[in-house]
Amino acid sequence: MGTLTGQTAVIMGASGEANFGSVIARRLAREGAHVVVSARREAPLVALAEEIGGLAVACDVTDEDQIKALFDRAREHFGRVDMALYSAGTYAVGALAELSREAIQPSLDISFIGALLFFKHAAASMPDGGSILTLSSLTARLPGPGLAVYAGARAGIDFAIEVAAHEYAEQGVRFNSLAPGLVETDMTDDLFAMPEIVAAHIQATPAGRMGTLDDVAEAALFLLDSGRSAYVNGQVLDLAGGQQTGRLPRF
Amino acid sequence: MAGFGRRSTAEQVSAGIDLTGITALVTGANTGLGLETTRVLALRGARVHMACRDQLRATEARDALLAGADGIAPEQLAILALDLNDLGKVREAGKEFLALGEPLDLLVNNAGIMIPMERRTADGFEAHLGINHLGHYLFTRLVLDSLLAAERSRVVVLSSAAAGLATLTDEFDDLNWERRRFRGFPSYGDSKLMNHMFARELYRRYGDQGLVANALHPGVIATELGRDQSAIFNLVGVLAYPFMKTIPQGAATTLRVATDPRYATRGGLFFKDCREARPPHRLALNDGACEDLWQISAELVGLH
């Protein structure tokens, strides 16, 4: 018997071989949860769903009907929804001076509007309470040039979960956010283009290392499982080895 | 005094500085930061030897600089064949340069590699160690007479903040990655730490003869980052963005350290963002370790 046996989780943004959504899905499945994995396209989800005995459902978060349908499918298939993770995102960087409405809109659609509508339908599928978690970012905790859109949308959601925690208090749905910093992956070739950046992040990180996907999975498990974190609500958890604290300049 | 920083460009930091009559040599001059460094040195009047492995690409780069709008004259740009992957060829390049009998006012050790996988040089050295450190170590020592023949000379060594990832200790155990499982980040960091240690020891040995050596972190240059669609890479790309510079910004610290009058006599320092900075690894501040590395490197390349 796992600690999550009998519970169901819906994971949005699980299409990578080893991205946040997929490692969290595996971690929850290992605890015995039924897991619905979702992303815009279904094909990349199928192998993961098979591996963890879950269900793959395609869902475009820019279409509210599809979000609603995702949770309907989850309830039809597993009878209930207890946990939901929002880990969809898109790459968007650029200085304010270079921004246009067209450049801003896709990030806003996915990272802000999509997240709120995901919360709406996730909570609606949890009449007896549950736990909703969203992925924020270190960039929404410390300012970095070029990230007004990417980080601004996440910072907005980090406040929205506080609002949501109050709105859904009576229903017993908790809302939390996880804000990882630089996370090490198996894709060393990609990361390798940037050892200086890795070094700079590590130098600014009291823990003295990059985060790992395990760190992410454990933190997400804690926040999603009401058996572990029932008294944590409306909280952004920094997962950045202390880098989120910033510090006074060295001299 | 101008306040130069991370957004300053190579042209900005060298504005108003006349390098006419100065001879410089830039390794890896045909591309990226080396090309921009070459261009701006020549723009300020210097004669620049472009030391490159691939002669075709070197010629193309030279042609492009001459065809550009900077008014660089053909006699300002020479090409020197230098293959840092092969110490025998490094010796040939050193000989060829010495034979010119030209005092060398400025040496910019710019070339470098950064690869995730284990690779060995022609002499069997791990590639970061062999190319980034040993090749430059040998070449610099070979052209030392040319540097000392100049009234004052500067050696500018491109190190990196990635030296902070180094695994090196003062015992210099397994420098060549023979007994450990290879890891790309630490290996690259080790070579960049050795670059910094080399610059400090070079200055300690020859500073009183008018040679000034400094090391620097050029910054991380925006290239193909962020075009990958994988979610993890996107996150890394986002975290990387605030750190990234353009090529003209990336070459600025090199140009500052190479040309600013205020750094003509101060050596053994570490720079980033066009300013003196805290060295990324404290082993480089250990004089005994820097001296040991000098000796070990001499043995590895067959000098004494």
Side-chain angles (χ1 to χ4, degrees):
Chain A
M1 268 282 284
T3 57
L4 296 178
T5 300
Q7 297 193 44
T8 301
V10 175
I11 308 291
M12 169 53 66
S15 62
E17 172 53 36
N19 69 6
F20 290 166
S22 58
V23 297
I24 293 166
R26 286 195 186 94
R27 187 71 187 86
L28 298 178
R30 223 170 73 209
E31 292 298 325
H34 298 301
V35 182
V36 180
V37 288
S38 185
R40 191 161 48 86
R41 289 176 303 121
E42 188 176 344
L45 298 168
V46 174
L48 176 63
E50 252 172 48
E51 175 194 330
I52 62 177
L55 177 68
V57 179
C59 172
D60 179 347
V61 297
T62 62
D63 178 351
E64 185 177 353
D65 290 344
Q66 293 190 36
I67 300 175
K68 181 175 185 305
L70 166 66
F71 285 98
D72 289 346
R73 278 290 302 283
R75 293 192 68 178
E76 277 165 34
H77 203 271
F78 292 118
R80 52 187 287 166
V81 174
D82 306 275
M83 297 166 281
L85 171 76
Y86 193 76
S87 178
T90 185
Y91 181 84
V93 294
L96 285 173
E98 298 157 7
L99 288 180
S100 62
R101 177 172 295 277
E102 292 68 36
I104 296 169
Q105 196 68 49
S107 281
L108 214 55
D109 283 340
I110 294 173
S111 298
F112 191 80
I113 300 171
L116 292 178
L117 296 174
F118 182 88
F119 294 168
K120 170 183 168 184
H121 292 284
S125 73
M126 301 172 177
D128 305 318
S131 175
I132 296 174
L133 178 65
T134 185
L135 255 294
S136 181
S137 162
L138 178 65
T139 63
R141 311 290 281 167
L142 290 174
L147 301 174
V149 178
Y150 182 92
R154 281 163 178 73
I157 289 299
D158 285 346
F159 188 76
I161 62 162
E162 299 182 24
V163 175
H166 287 279
E167 288 189 7
Y168 289 93
E170 282 184 33
Q171 192 182 319
V173 180
R174 297 180 302 118
F175 289 82
N176 292 294
S177 172
L178 184 59
L182 191 65
V183 174
E184 191 171 5
T185 75
D186 292 336
M187 289 183 268
T188 39
D189 280 14
D190 288 343
L191 276 175
F192 206 83
M194 300 171 280
E196 288 89 353
I197 288 168
V198 172
H201 276 284
I202 289 176
Q203 279 173 38
T205 303
R209 63 169 175 87
M210 296 166 74
T212 65
L213 288 170
D214 262 356
D215 293 326
V216 175
E218 288 301 322
L221 170 63
F222 171 72
L223 291 171
L224 282 167
D225 177 8
S226 295
R228 288 173 162 91
S229 61
Y231 205 52
V232 182
N233 198 359
Q235 182 68 41
V236 181
L237 178 63
D238 288 297
L239 189 76
Q243 190 182 352
Q244 80 285 352
T245 54
R247 61 144 192 253
L248 294 171
R250 277 195 235 245
F251 51 88
Chain B
M1 153 197 158
F4 296 121
R6 58 176 289 112
R7 299 289 167 206
S8 304
T9 64
E11 286 197 26
Q12 286 166 352
V13 303
S14 62
I17 293 175
D18 182 8
L19 301 180
T20 307
I22 293 286
T23 297
L25 189 151
V26 179
T27 69
N30 60 299
T31 181
L33 298 183
L35 181 61
E36 175 69 358
T37 299
T38 300
R39 183 184 74 81
V40 180
L41 287 172
L43 175 68
R44 302 299 175 221
R47 175 172 150 72
V48 187
H49 293 271
M50 303 170 69
C52 308
R53 178 173 53 88
D54 185 326
Q55 297 314 285
L56 180 64
R57 292 176 66 190
T59 306
E60 286 170 1
R62 180 177 181 274
D63 290 347
L65 288 179
L66 294 178
D70 297 309
I72 298 170
E75 61 272 18
Q76 280 183 273
L77 297 179
I79 292 175
L80 177 72
L82 172 64
D83 184 354
L84 294 160
N85 188 54
D86 182 337
L87 295 180
K89 290 184 178 163
V90 174
R91 279 191 195 86
E92 285 171 25
K95 262 189 213 144
E96 190 183 331
F97 185 78
L98 278 180
L100 300 174
E102 219 176 323
L104 182 57
D105 305 282
L106 171 64
L107 171 64
V108 181
N109 288 349
N110 164 86
I113 58 154
M114 186 173 78
I115 50 172
M117 72 295 268
E118 179 167 9
R119 226 194 69 201
R120 297 276 155 179
T121 66
D123 307 279
F125 294 111
E126 186 282 318
H128 293 115
L129 168 71
I131 293 170
N132 294 357
H133 173 60
L134 292 176
H136 279 112
Y137 172 86
L138 176 60
F139 184 74
T140 307
R141 289 203 55 186
L142 291 171
V143 301
L144 194 60
D145 286 346
S146 299
L147 287 163
L148 297 177
E151 197 181 327
R152 299 213 65 86
S153 56
R154 300 192 203 191
V155 177
V156 179
V157 177
L158 273 79
S159 173
S160 163
L165 300 169
T167 61
L168 221 56
T169 68
D170 59 4
E171 294 175 346
F172 299 103
D173 226 18
D174 198 24
L175 264 191
N176 201 25
W177 293 86
E178 283 157 349
R179 297 193 301 281
R180 293 171 289 169
R181 188 176 67 85
F182 181 77
R183 288 186 299 148
F185 277 126
S187 164
Y188 175 73
D190 283 348
S191 73
K192 290 289 134 184
L193 174 57
M194 287 186 260
N195 289 155
H196 182 200
M197 297 173 78
F198 167 68
R200 287 200 76 228
E201 181 64 11
L202 183 66
Y203 176 64
R204 197 186 66 78
R205 286 179 176 242
Y206 300 102
D208 59 1
Q209 296 178 56
L211 184 154
V212 169
N214 285 300
L216 63 88
H217 169 58
V220 181
I221 316 308
T223 49
E224 288 87 39
L225 283 181
R227 293 296 142 234
D228 189 290
Q229 289 306 305
S230 65
I232 287 286
F233 185 66
N234 285 349
L235 182 78
V236 174
V238 165
L239 279 165
Y241 185 83
F243 290 85
M244 297 198 296
K245 295 183 179 188
T246 63
I247 285 178
Q249 290 167 347
T253 306
T254 301
L255 261 290
R256 182 109 204 259
V257 178
T259 66
D260 195 308
R262 88 183 59 195
Y263 301 122
T265 56
R266 301 176 60 217
L269 307 173
F270 190 85
F271 292 80
K272 75 172 189 182
D273 296 337
C274 301
R275 291 184 284 249
E276 256 189 85
R278 184 171 169 275
H281 198 295
R282 62 197 166 93
L283 190 61
L285 302 179
N286 178 334
D287 290 340
C290 294
E291 190 175 351
D292 289 347
L293 177 65
W294 182 280
Q295 295 297 352
I296 292 167
S297 305
E299 284 159 29
L300 290 176
V301 303
L303 284 176
H304 22 235

